[in-house]
Amino acid sequence: MPDTKQGLDIMKDKALLRASTAMLVGLFAAIPAQAQVAQETPKPDTPSDLSANPSVPAPSSQQGPADDGEIVVTGLRRSLESAQALKRNSDGIVDAIVAEDIGKLPDTFASAALARVSGVQVTRGAGEAAGVQIRGLPDISTTYNGREIFTAEGRFVAIQDFPAGTVAALEVYKNGTANLIEGGIGGQVNVRGRRPFDFNGFEVSGSLNGVHWEQSGKPTWNGNLLVSDRWDTGIGEMGLLVNASYVGLNYLDATREQSVVIGTTTAESAPGAGAGIRYPDAQGRFTSNGNRFRPSANAAFQWRPSPELEVYVDGLYQGYRSHDENQWMFVPIFGGPDFQLQNLTTRPGAANVAQGATVVGGSIPDGYYTSASGRTNTYQIGGGMVWQRDRLQWSVDGAYTRSTYDFKLYNIDYLFARSPTRTVLFDGPDGGPTFNFVDFDPSDPNNFNVRGFFQEHLKVGGKDIQLRGDTQYDFDEGSFIKRIQAGLRYNDRDANRDRGAPYIDRLNNDPANALYRDLNIPISALPATVRQTRPAFSFNNNFPVYSFAGLSEESIRNNIDQLRAYFGAPEGLPAFNPTENFQANERALAAYAQVKYGADLNDSISVDGLLGIRAIRTKVSISGFVRDETSGAATPTFDPITARNEYTDYLPNASARFRFGDELQLRLNYNQTRTRPNFFDLNPTLTVGPPPTISPECQADPSLPQCINSNLRNISGGNPNLNPLTSNNYDISLEWYFSRAGSMTAALFRRDAQGFISRVNREGVDVGFGPSRLNLPENTGQTRFQGAEVQFTSFLDIDGLPDWAKGFGVQANATYVDSEGDLASDLGSNPNVAGRGLRFTGVSKWSGNLVGLYERPFFSARLAYNYRSNFVFEYGQVNLDVDANGAPRTGAIVEKGRGQLDFSTTVTPMPNITVAFDIVNLLGNPLRRYREFNDAGDQYARQIVYLERTYSLGIRFRF
């Protein structure tokens, strides 16, 4: 039987589900069946609409008055109509965000806009949204206009790399069909750009926005410009479009945190308080500031020499530039013979859980100042043609993609000149940790000494050639077989990685010399400018150390040659380490066949659906080096190694859609998906450590607890034998479309996934170097995701209401996901969790959106609330924190539920000019992460992260 807490959680979940259902039923019950707006759905009007993803009709373009004089709706309402039409007419389960006008998604970044889609969860930080998940699954594939696209050596592109100004629509495929490119067990996100035939003729539009970042106090600029035209020539109709965008960020995220290691007082360490009181054994302060921008441009050319044939060429450029600085301060609460916790207080009602204390002595606080810069360039150029005659359509498409990423990081480590007395609160006024120093000035640079110098240079890249051909034939309307589709796709992918990351912590990096930490060199002696770090936590009084003496990012970067000389590092960028490098090639050939069927069951019920299969043959070759320190760490050898693998996947799909009249439809879907492992995890490189040094004590008695596994050599590397991640997906969806912009849908889903990759330690194995401790990635076991979604969208199109009232609209959706799976073997075998399936990391049980809309011809407003409940941020094992049986405890860091409120409004003083104002993160509430540390459920805050609030004011024009 479930324990009491679990039973209460189940009752709470059921109550929330009932309450959500009742609320949505109440909302749509108020909408009369006779909606005022006709339910005509937009249809694709050019063959190119079918070339990228033939199963999904593209929404019609947002135009002005139609040729017959009908007024075509634009703005928020038109955006919802287009998204609803795409969802309704698709052959699979698809949701979409459609730009309400050129360059106007509801958010600055595509990833933030995706958070509005039911079933999609994102993580927030660094001024943007990232980490997109679909129904709990993090492995999603990304395509641009139906083509695969990626960043550097990775499998997919970061969705936040797409500025909203260049995006026409975001299409979220929650279940796969045979014609979609394989990859992404969670689903696929297709980013649809614009083409010149989307417009009637000449079009120029653009925007310019100024953004104020509240915590950093800095302004940035965002803008985009689109120019498009189409014209008739003697050889057919042609069109050309050019679109450019620029997005800038200057964020400051501030974090207060404390250790996951839980200490226990003794009579000596806590005089007057006694032994057995638990407390976090360190606290920290971290700030991250980034000055980043993303330039982007795309161009498209279309040529229609005849009504049957269309030829197109398009290109995309995406860039990323960053200058980041981080400051970290680590304040230990342990160590040294003079360490004591004085004036210790405990939580009310918990005599063995510390609330605050005065820390005297112990280990010296330390930290670092970081200067980091990154640069990404991604190019894709492609083209193809679509030929259509009567019921036969044939298309070919090819593209070349190249992407590089170059990252440089310089780190100056410091430590305090002494260990000052400090007052700490483990539970501060807002539930987070705080610390302050007694008779110690953190603004004085003489209180900070040099500890070491770290450099990193990472250079990664990838390129790809992809070719595909598709054909489809549509049968007579009365035929049971409606359509046959078939196609081939070939891609040849290269990936590479080089990294060097040396660390210098001794004078001239000579092992015979003293450590810098023992030389008491103040940071002011370095060839760089000392100044106060950027203020943080200044919007409340809960954390007193707002700023401290340090080295700025610009000073480290501008003086890097002098700093290298000071520390005795070689000139120029650090040399690449062979064991962190690889070269990979992957070739895949895919073929698919798919049948669409359909029939009328009676006068009011019809059925249609898809039956298909996609087969993929993959061949992988990846080369690296084995670092062998058998003869000693000072004289390693590097031996080349190459691993090869090939395998075939068969991915079936089947679906049925039952239509009940004109408004109601029921979908049943099944499909299989899979994702190839990352090249980095497949890397066969090994780093073989030196033979272990066994103490005389362990030589005499190897059975002593401290001597177990003391004879193991440490080896780390990749695993070329990893299997692809796979998933069996089941979906049921009931959809009611009661107007062009009004719908109520509900869905049940289940994902049975297997093979997520985790890095684990295997002890006592022999891979040719004697008994070893081997650290490699491995496939974990099975993970189950199941849940439900509900969505409601409508404007108040009710007979009898005045026109001004019909401008009100609402979007609401809620998703419930229950996840359960196996941990990595070295965590899952721990006595604390053995035999139990645990929540998958990053998955909230509840997430949802509530958006209030108002739109009139000259004014619109949107207030959008996005919420996700708590989720496991990370699992880990802390050997110093044990359970009642003395076994290391495997614990979870849990991020608490959080809502984000965003506001936007526009005013259109004249038909072609719009003024827009936006506030992102209106509530300004922080992220809160906690960790339970005992069987009673007691917890301490792990991290409190304060995110940016931004204000944007801009203008959009369109002619």
Side-chain angles (χ1 to χ4, degrees):
M1 295 180 62
D3 59 26
T4 303
K5 182 177 183 298
Q6 183 181 8
L8 291 173
D9 288 342
I10 293 172
M11 293 174 63
K12 179 176 69 174
D13 291 342
K14 289 182 177 179
L16 286 170
L17 184 59
R18 288 195 297 268
S20 300
T21 303
M23 178 190 72
L24 290 170
V25 168
L27 282 171
F28 77 77
I31 307 296
Q34 293 80 24
Q36 192 174 31
V37 179
Q39 297 188 55
E40 298 175 0
T41 54
K43 303 294 183 183
D45 57 359
T46 68
S48 62
D49 290 333
L50 302 177
S51 61
N53 294 300
S55 64
V56 181
S60 59
S61 57
Q62 298 172 8
Q63 303 169 354
D67 294 339
D68 59 2
E70 176 191 359
I71 299 299
V72 178
V73 180
T74 60
L76 298 173
R77 185 188 289 267
R78 180 57 173 169
S79 172
L80 296 179
E81 289 181 8
S82 298
Q84 178 170 300
L86 193 152
K87 177 182 179 70
R88 182 180 187 180
N89 296 329
S90 67
D91 287 325
I93 297 179
V94 180
D95 280 292
I97 297 288
V98 177
E100 64 188 71
D101 203 347
I102 302 172
K104 182 54 180 173
L105 279 178
D107 298 273
T108 303
F109 297 100
S111 54
L114 281 177
R116 316 290 182 196
V117 175
S118 67
V120 175
Q121 299 174 359
V122 301
T123 56
R124 300 183 186 271
E128 56 194 6
V132 177
Q133 295 178 321
I134 300 177
R135 292 175 168 176
L137 289 159
D139 292 272
I140 63 173
S141 65
T142 47
T143 57
Y144 178 71
N145 287 335
R147 296 192 191 111
E148 186 176 21
I149 191 169
F150 53 85
T151 300
E153 92 289 20
R155 288 291 182 189
F156 313 121
V157 71
I159 301 294
Q160 63 268 27
D161 283 349
F162 286 98
T166 64
V167 175
L170 300 167
E171 301 160 349
V172 180
Y173 296 83
K174 297 180 178 178
N175 74 301
T177 52
N179 59 306
L180 295 179
I181 297 174
E182 70 278 358
I185 62 173
Q188 185 175 111
V189 176
N190 181 54
V191 180
R192 186 157 56 80
R194 299 185 184 275
R195 287 177 172 170
F197 286 178
D198 291 345
F199 306 102
N200 285 334
F202 179 74
E203 186 83 26
V204 58
S205 67
S207 66
L208 181 64
N209 299 279
V211 182
H212 174 72
W213 300 78
E214 184 176 35
Q215 291 190 146
S216 74
K218 299 292 184 178
T220 59
W221 295 94
N222 302 333
N224 71 281
L225 179 65
L226 178 146
V227 180
S228 179
D229 200 2
R230 57 193 292 182
W231 57 92
D232 290 320
T233 71
I235 56 174
E237 187 178 16
M238 295 184 180
L240 179 64
L241 176 147
V242 178
N243 191 13
S245 176
Y246 176 94
V247 174
L249 299 86
N250 200 317
Y251 73 90
L252 173 65
D253 288 350
T255 304
R256 302 150 52 194
E257 61 183 83
Q258 51 196 2
S259 175
V260 296
V261 179
I262 304 299
T264 305
T265 62
T266 64
E268 293 77 18
S269 67
I277 300 174
R278 309 301 304 275
Y279 63 95
D281 75 348
Q283 293 185 323
R285 172 201 188 280
F286 179 76
T287 52
S288 174
N289 171 246
N291 182 11
R292 303 176 177 181
F293 65 92
R294 287 183 170 93
S296 178
N298 67 286
F301 170 78
Q302 288 176 285
W303 173 36
R304 190 176 294 161
S306 72
E308 297 175 338
L309 179 64
E310 180 181 309
V311 180
Y312 57 89
V313 178
D314 52 49
L316 171 70
Y317 165 73
Q318 286 183 330
Y320 169 81
R321 307 289 186 268
S322 69
H323 286 296
D324 296 345
E325 63 177 330
N326 303 323
Q327 299 97 25
W328 165 243
M329 181 181 288
F330 176 76
V331 182
I333 309 175
F334 59 80
D338 59 341
F339 167 71
Q340 280 190 350
L341 292 175
Q342 300 178 358
N343 306 317
L344 190 146
T345 60
T346 59
R347 289 180 182 172
N352 65 336
V353 180
Q355 185 169 15
T358 301
V359 181
V360 177
S363 297
I364 297 176
D366 57 27
Y368 57 74
Y369 316 107
T370 294
S371 169
S373 61
R375 182 184 183 92
T376 298
N377 289 306
T378 300
Y379 304 88
Q380 184 176 86
I381 184 168
M385 63 178 64
V386 181
W387 178 84
Q388 187 172 10
R389 176 176 293 175
D390 296 329
R391 299 186 181 91
L392 179 64
Q393 177 175 292
W394 175 75
S395 66
V396 293
D397 186 89
Y400 172 78
T401 307
R402 183 176 181 85
S403 181
T404 59
Y405 175 61
D406 192 274
F407 176 76
K408 303 178 183 69
L409 181 144
Y410 311 115
N411 213 78
I412 305 295
D413 288 355
Y414 70 83
L415 77 163
F416 283 15
R418 59 184 176 89
S419 180
T421 299
R422 53 260 189 206
T423 58
V424 301
L425 285 176
F426 306 112
D427 296 313
D430 60 352
T434 68
F435 61 84
N436 201 3
F437 302 109
V438 178
D439 297 327
F440 182 88
D441 183 4
S443 67
D444 185 355
N446 293 318
N447 284 327
F448 296 79
N449 290 340
V450 176
R451 185 165 61 96
F453 174 57
F454 173 75
Q455 299 182 83
E456 179 184 7
H457 182 206
L458 175 67
K459 192 171 185 178
V460 292
K463 59 182 179 180
D464 173 87
I465 295 175
Q466 50 186 301
L467 302 169
R468 66 180 295 171
D470 300 89
T471 185
Q472 74 177 40
Y473 183 81
D474 293 311
F475 290 86
D476 292 335
E477 185 174 343
S479 174
F480 177 73
I481 302 299
K482 302 296 185 184
R483 178 189 303 150
I484 293 179
Q485 295 172 284
L488 293 171
R489 181 177 184 273
Y490 172 79
N491 70 288
D492 188 335
R493 173 78 190 278
D494 292 323
N496 61 82
R497 179 182 191 269
D498 295 287
R499 182 177 184 265
Y503 183 61
I504 297 175
D505 62 350
R506 292 181 181 273
L507 186 64
N508 296 321
N509 208 29
D510 185 343
N513 290 340
L515 292 167
Y516 278 103
R517 67 177 302 133
D518 298 328
L519 298 177
N520 297 323
I521 302 172
I523 59 171
S524 57
L526 295 174
T529 302
V530 177
R531 74 176 190 190
Q532 297 302 300
T533 63
R534 190 182 298 270
F537 313 104
S538 56
F539 47 83
N540 64 36
N541 296 316
N542 291 330
F543 196 81
V545 185
Y546 296 149
S547 182
F548 58 96
L551 306 176
S552 69
E553 184 271 335
E554 298 93 339
S555 179
I556 296 174
R557 173 163 43 91
N558 295 335
N559 294 282
I560 190 58
D561 292 336
Q562 294 86 343
L563 287 167
R564 288 191 182 110
Y566 181 89
F567 285 100
E571 294 183 359
L573 292 169
F576 292 133
N577 179 359
T579 59
E580 298 194 73
N581 308 343
F582 68 77
Q583 299 281 336
N585 176 260
E586 179 181 88
R587 299 180 182 182
L589 178 64
Y592 77 90
Q594 186 166 253
V595 173
K596 181 172 183 178
Y597 65 89
D600 293 330
L601 302 183
N602 56 37
D603 292 340
S604 60
I605 302 176
S606 63
V607 62
D608 63 11
L610 297 176
L611 296 173
I613 189 167
R614 188 177 186 92
I616 312 102
R617 182 66 173 170
T618 304
K619 293 184 178 182
V620 184
S621 174
I622 186 165
S623 300
F625 292 88
V626 174
R627 177 188 176 105
D628 188 349
E629 297 182 0
T630 300
S631 58
T635 57
T637 61
F638 298 94
D639 301 316
I641 183 174
T642 299
R644 294 180 173 84
N645 196 7
E646 56 182 277
Y647 49 89
T648 302
D649 293 300
Y650 298 96
L651 306 177
N653 65 283
S655 66
R657 174 174 55 177
F658 296 89
R659 300 190 190 214
F660 305 90
D662 296 330
E663 298 182 354
L664 189 65
Q665 59 187 31
L666 172 69
R667 298 179 188 267
L668 306 174
N669 288 78
Y670 164 78
N671 74 296
Q672 288 185 355
T673 52
R674 71 105 175 89
T675 298
R676 301 180 182 100
N678 290 320
F679 292 111
F680 179 78
D681 292 325
L682 293 170
N683 182 10
T685 293
L686 291 177
T687 297
V688 181
T693 300
I694 303 176
S695 67
E697 179 187 37
C698 292
Q699 291 178 0
D701 187 359
S703 64
L704 293 173
Q706 65 269 30
C707 300
I708 297 175
N709 294 327
S710 63
N711 65 328
L712 301 181
R713 182 196 303 266
N714 290 316
I715 301 176
S716 63
N719 183 0
N721 298 315
L722 290 171
N723 295 318
L725 291 72
T726 61
S727 178
N728 289 297
N729 308 321
Y730 310 88
D731 297 272
I732 302 175
S733 176
L734 182 62
E735 304 163 6
W736 176 33
Y737 301 98
F738 49 79
S739 72
R740 287 186 63 169
S743 64
M744 172 75 180
T745 66
L748 299 174
F749 58 87
R750 179 173 174 132
R751 305 286 186 262
D752 292 327
Q754 183 168 357
F756 285 102
I757 296 172
S758 299
R759 184 166 285 274
V760 301
N761 287 311
R762 303 176 190 170
E763 297 189 335
V765 300
D766 188 346
V767 292
F769 300 93
S772 302
R773 179 181 294 105
L774 188 63
N775 180 268
L776 296 177
E778 72 169 16
N779 293 106
T780 59
Q782 297 185 350
T783 306
R784 183 209 67 212
F785 304 84
Q786 60 185 15
E789 296 174 359
V790 289
Q791 301 182 59
F792 175 79
T793 301
S794 183
F795 279 87
L796 291 182
D797 295 317
I798 302 175
D799 291 333
L801 286 180
D803 287 342
W804 65 265
K806 295 178 182 179
F808 285 102
V810 63
Q811 289 179 277
N813 61 61
T815 303
Y816 174 82
V817 182
D818 176 50
S819 64
E820 181 180 285
D822 299 327
L823 291 180
S825 59
D826 58 343
L827 294 176
S829 60
N830 189 275
N832 298 290
V833 298
R836 291 191 290 135
L838 300 182
R839 292 174 63 184
F840 194 76
T841 54
V843 179
S844 297
K845 277 192 173 183
W846 289 96
S847 62
N849 295 274
L850 182 61
V851 183
L853 310 169
Y854 186 74
E855 183 172 48
R856 300 300 294 157
F858 303 106
F859 174 79
S860 72
R862 180 194 332 239
L863 189 63
Y865 182 74
N866 173 253
Y867 175 79
R868 62 180 302 186
S869 65
N870 68 55
F871 61 91
V872 175
F873 180 77
E874 181 182 36
Y875 286 106
Q877 180 174 304
V878 182
N879 290 327
L880 298 179
D881 188 18
V882 298
D883 63 11
N885 299 319
R889 180 180 298 280
T890 295
I893 298 172
V894 175
E895 184 169 312
K896 296 293 186 181
R898 177 182 181 271
Q900 177 159 314
L901 185 65
D902 302 326
F903 172 76
S904 63
T905 185
T906 65
V907 178
T908 306
M910 58 187 67
N912 298 324
I913 301 294
T914 298
V915 179
F917 175 69
D918 301 89
I919 304 176
V920 176
N921 192 20
L922 189 63
L923 300 177
N925 47 333
L927 304 178
R928 300 176 181 274
R929 298 171 184 145
Y930 291 81
R931 176 178 181 264
E932 292 184 358
F933 61 88
N934 61 22
D935 295 329
D938 291 321
Q939 58 181 223
Y940 278 116
R942 165 62 176 149
Q943 292 174 319
I944 309 295
V945 185
Y946 296 87
L947 303 179
E948 279 284 6
R949 180 191 287 126
T950 64
Y951 306 86
S952 172
L953 179 63
I955 188 169
R956 299 201 308 269
F957 62 88
R958 181 180 183 184
F959 300 98

